[in-house]
Amino acid sequence: MSDTGTKTDGRVERGNQTRRLVLGRTMDIASVEGLDGLSLGRIATELQLSKSGVFALFGSKEELQLSTIRAAAAVFAENVVTPLKDVPPGARRVRELCRNWLTYSSDRVFAGGCFFYAVSAEFDARTGPVHDAVAQTRRDWNAYMETSLTEAQAVGDFAADLDVEQLAFEVIALMEAANAQSVLLGDTRAYDRAERGITARLRASATDRGRDVLDAE
């Protein structure tokens, strides 16, 4: 490799390292203060980076916000979805998905609890690219939960007449209620309450086979 190529590769890697450093900080800030709490100047000052260098990586506050959402989605998937890769479709997979989400929130993977709960409240009534990006993450999460329930229904763990959208809505609502109460009131018991409520809803919708799976957990 030429010296020019080596230098170029080095600059790219330094840029990637700086990008990871910046996004690690912006995800935590946004989970506590919201995406409006982000600015190129603030991040440069806090991380002792040049503002021009941060600007070269992101270009604008909006792009910094959008990049932060994308990075947070990857962290969410790593903590909530990826651990299920070897778990076959069924009631156990749904149960583990819910448990992973509760652990992701309770372990404070993001400093402010669930990143997406925080920024959804911030941008729910707005318009524009950042709102649209936040809304899409919500659609994706709802769809993933519904798909997991549908797959479990297909293998015989949930009733054939199950209203998948309704159950997904109720389960997600219980998880988000636990996150909100824990963050606002410091009440970690909310996670136990949410898990009991989720288990009760899943059992009520399960077949005998599905209840056996849930009771074995």
Side-chain angles (χ1 to χ4, degrees):
M1 182 181 292
S2 69
D3 288 344
T4 300
T6 301
K7 290 177 182 177
T8 299
D9 288 347
R11 285 196 297 270
V12 169
E13 179 54 30
R14 285 194 299 274
N16 289 338
Q17 289 176 353
T18 300
R19 187 179 182 86
R20 288 192 292 270
L21 177 66
V22 168
L23 292 175
R25 180 64 185 134
T26 59
M27 285 187 286
D28 271 347
I29 291 174
S31 74
V32 175
E33 301 177 28
L35 288 162
D36 272 347
L38 305 181
S39 73
L40 299 174
R42 173 183 178 176
I43 296 303
T45 299
E46 287 192 7
L47 298 179
Q48 297 183 323
L49 301 169
S50 72
K51 186 174 181 180
S52 61
V54 176
F55 184 85
L57 286 172
F58 298 99
S60 68
K61 176 175 179 173
E62 181 175 272
E63 181 52 40
L64 181 64
Q65 292 172 323
L66 292 170
S67 295
T68 299
I69 293 167
R70 290 190 290 268
V75 172
F76 177 90
E78 180 182 352
N79 283 271
V80 179
V81 177
T82 301
L84 300 171
K85 61 184 176 64
D86 296 323
V87 181
R92 180 189 166 206
R93 195 174 202 278
V94 173
R95 176 77 167 272
E96 291 303 312
L97 176 62
C98 296
R99 283 180 171 172
N100 289 351
W101 194 101
L102 292 171
T103 299
Y104 143 83
S105 173
S106 64
D107 283 357
R108 297 296 187 260
V109 170
F110 296 113
C114 177
F115 176 94
F116 295 100
Y117 181 86
V119 300
S120 293
E122 181 186 14
F123 276 86
D124 56 3
R126 303 191 193 186
T127 59
V130 177
H131 164 275
D132 294 347
V134 172
Q136 187 59 52
T137 64
R138 179 64 180 223
R139 293 189 193 97
D140 292 344
W141 171 231
N142 288 348
Y144 191 85
M145 179 62 74
E146 290 170 10
T147 297
S148 298
L149 288 166
T150 299
E151 290 174 345
Q153 184 184 39
V155 300
D157 284 355
F158 288 103
D161 62 352
L162 172 66
D163 185 337
V164 169
E165 290 185 11
Q166 181 65 27
L167 183 55
F169 180 90
E170 293 178 18
V171 166
I172 290 172
L174 284 165
M175 291 190 286
E176 291 186 343
N179 176 81
Q181 187 156 320
S182 171
V183 173
L184 183 62
L185 304 180
D187 181 8
T188 57
R189 297 172 301 172
Y191 293 107
D192 292 332
R193 294 193 181 95
E195 183 163 357
R196 288 199 298 272
I198 289 167
T199 299
R201 288 298 299 117
L202 295 179
R203 287 191 85 262
S205 302
T207 60
D208 289 342
R209 166 191 157 124
R211 280 189 288 272
D212 287 343
V213 171
L214 294 170
D215 291 345
E217 292 296 307

